[in-house]
Amino acid sequence: MNSKKIDDYFDNVSTTYQSKTKKFPWSFLRNLELNAIKKVIPNVQDKNIVEYGCGAGFYTNFLYSKNPSSIIAVDSVLKMINQLPQNKINTVNTDCIDHLQELNTNNINTHTHIIFAAGLLEFITSPSIFLKLSHRAIEDNGSLVLLVPQKSILSRFYSNFHKKNGIHISILSSTEWLKLFKETGWVVYKEKAILSFSKAICLRKKS
């Protein structure tokens, strides 16, 4: 990641992040994305979930409402993660790649049923590393649920917004994402486009 710049940016906006995303146009887009996630995500009840890039917990709270067995919410920005209900959610303040490497080192893949990452992969320098490590860390037939931007006119605005803050994000086409999933051992199980801007995707681990 451009980790220092990214962490500094989200640290600076952490106090107003939730309130701003509740206002138009972000609220409109977020509702579209949540509805798309609902269409692709598998049943999470009684499942062990790891969420990467949880931020202030918008999707964490959604996942928690579906009665999973456990949720580990991981984010590198402490001010963001501190906004989650600490008595309900197991939070980890660390880099997502570091946490995935720890999961693999400790060989606890049989305990992780679902990995969830919404709006994260575009900030990672090498999405393939995240995908490979997730594949190793999850149980056989486990699911990786993603929300990723796609190349389009709308996504250019998203890219330019972050560029103004000194952050480069990676935006791939549908073909490029599909190629990357295949190379890292994942099979697309379900997907739902959000306008031409992004896509919610459920991947299944190919053993």
Side-chain angles (χ1 to χ4, degrees):
M1 294 187 186
N2 325 265
S3 51
K4 182 66 168 62
K5 287 184 178 179
I6 293 170
D7 286 357
D8 287 347
Y9 170 75
F10 284 106
D11 182 84
N12 290 334
V13 302
S14 59
T15 55
T16 59
Y17 187 79
Q18 287 283 51
S19 60
K20 284 186 176 180
T21 56
K22 291 177 181 177
K23 297 177 182 178
F24 187 85
W26 303 116
S27 59
F28 173 73
L29 180 59
R30 177 159 272 186
N31 283 332
L32 289 178
E33 291 174 338
L34 178 58
N35 287 333
I37 288 288
K38 288 177 179 178
K39 291 183 184 301
V40 304
I41 196 167
N43 181 15
V44 305
Q45 185 172 352
D46 300 325
K47 298 293 192 297
N48 296 323
I49 304 170
V50 181
E51 181 191 5
Y52 289 107
C54 65
F58 177 80
Y59 286 106
T60 318
N61 290 319
F62 162 71
L63 293 168
Y64 182 80
S65 72
K66 301 302 179 183
N67 301 312
S69 179
S70 69
I71 301 179
I72 299 173
V74 182
D75 201 283
S76 58
V77 181
L78 184 60
K79 286 184 181 178
M80 282 288 197
I81 212 166
N82 279 345
Q83 297 180 51
L84 275 72
Q86 305 293 318
N87 60 326
K88 297 178 180 179
I89 309 294
N90 181 9
T91 60
V92 180
N93 177 219
T94 191
D95 179 79
C96 63
I97 298 297
D98 291 343
H99 190 268
L100 276 167
Q101 288 173 334
E102 183 181 345
L103 286 185
N104 282 289
T105 300
N106 293 336
N107 195 29
I108 57 173
N109 60 310
T110 54
H111 301 300
T112 305
H113 304 115
I114 298 170
I115 293 176
F116 186 95
L120 173 71
L121 264 64
E122 61 265 34
F123 292 99
I124 297 178
T125 304
S126 176
S128 65
I129 292 176
F130 178 89
L131 292 167
K132 287 175 183 177
L133 289 172
S134 295
H135 190 274
R136 294 175 197 157
I138 207 166
E139 70 163 11
D140 289 343
N141 299 314
S143 298
L144 173 59
V145 180
L146 302 172
L147 180 64
V148 294
Q150 298 185 103
K151 284 182 180 176
S152 69
I153 294 173
L154 287 175
S155 64
R156 287 180 193 172
F157 289 102
Y158 179 52
S159 178
N160 289 336
F161 171 81
H162 283 295
K163 193 178 291 184
K164 289 178 182 178
N165 294 292
I167 298 170
H168 170 75
I169 61 174
S170 300
I171 299 181
L172 307 181
S173 66
S174 290
T175 302
E176 290 169 326
W177 279 121
L178 190 61
K179 182 174 181 289
L180 197 54
F181 299 150
K182 185 176 180 179
E183 290 173 348
T184 52
W186 294 99
V187 175
V188 176
Y189 178 66
K190 287 183 181 180
E191 60 182 2
K192 175 66 177 177
I194 302 122
L195 303 177
S196 62
F197 173 75
S198 58
K199 186 176 285 188
I201 305 168
C202 178
L203 305 174
R204 286 280 171 87
K205 178 176 180 176
K206 185 170 66 176
S207 303

